[in-house]
């Protein structure tokens, strides 16, 4: 099987994992863990697409490191913003008396 077909199958499997993590309900997995799983899978998928389909694996190592750092910072920032928003929202609900 050609390398790109194997990569495509791996990307499809990662998509299914992200869909599963995002669809879990009833506190089987904490929401923050769901968000972390989805962001990690998205980062791995983006890195895979950059390397295999956009030719980054043939680029100089500086570019590869730059894009990897960009993905890590981007996913980390999204996670931090989501976490901060969740914490602030829960404090606001607690302060207003909506939560016990």
């Amino acid at each position: 099987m050609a390398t790109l077909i194997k990569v495509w199958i791996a990307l499809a499997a990662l998509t299914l994992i992200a869909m599963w993590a995002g669809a879990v309900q009833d506190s089987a997995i904490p929401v923050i863990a769901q968000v972390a799983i989805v962001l990690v899978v998205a980062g791995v998928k983006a890195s895979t697409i950059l390397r295999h389909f956009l030719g980054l694996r043939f680029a100089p190592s500086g570019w590869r490191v730059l894009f990897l750092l960009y993905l890590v910072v981007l996913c980390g920032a999204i996670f931090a913003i989501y976490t901060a928003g969740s914490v602030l929202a829960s404090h606001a609900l607690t302060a207003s008396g909506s939560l016990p």
Side-chain angles (χ1 to χ4, degrees):
M1 213 176 341
T3 302
L4 292 181
I5 293 174
K6 291 178 187 175
V7 170
W8 182 83
I9 291 170
L11 289 170
L14 287 169
T15 299
L16 293 175
I17 291 169
M19 289 172 59
W20 169 81
V24 174
Q25 296 177 358
D26 300 329
S27 299
I29 297 176
V31 174
I32 202 78
Q34 289 177 319
V35 172
I37 291 169
V38 169
L39 285 172
V40 167
V41 169
V44 170
K45 287 176 61 177
S47 174
T48 302
I49 290 169
L50 284 170
R51 280 186 283 121
H52 292 283
F53 291 103
L54 299 178
L56 193 59
R57 65 182 168 184
F58 302 116
S61 62
W63 284 108
R64 290 193 303 263
V65 169
L66 180 68
F67 277 107
L68 181 61
L69 285 174
Y70 173 73
L71 289 174
V72 169
V73 168
L74 182 64
C75 290
I78 292 170
F79 184 74
I81 292 167
Y82 177 83
T83 304
S86 296
V87 169
L88 290 173
S90 69
H91 286 309
L93 289 175
T94 304
S96 69
S98 297
L99 289 177

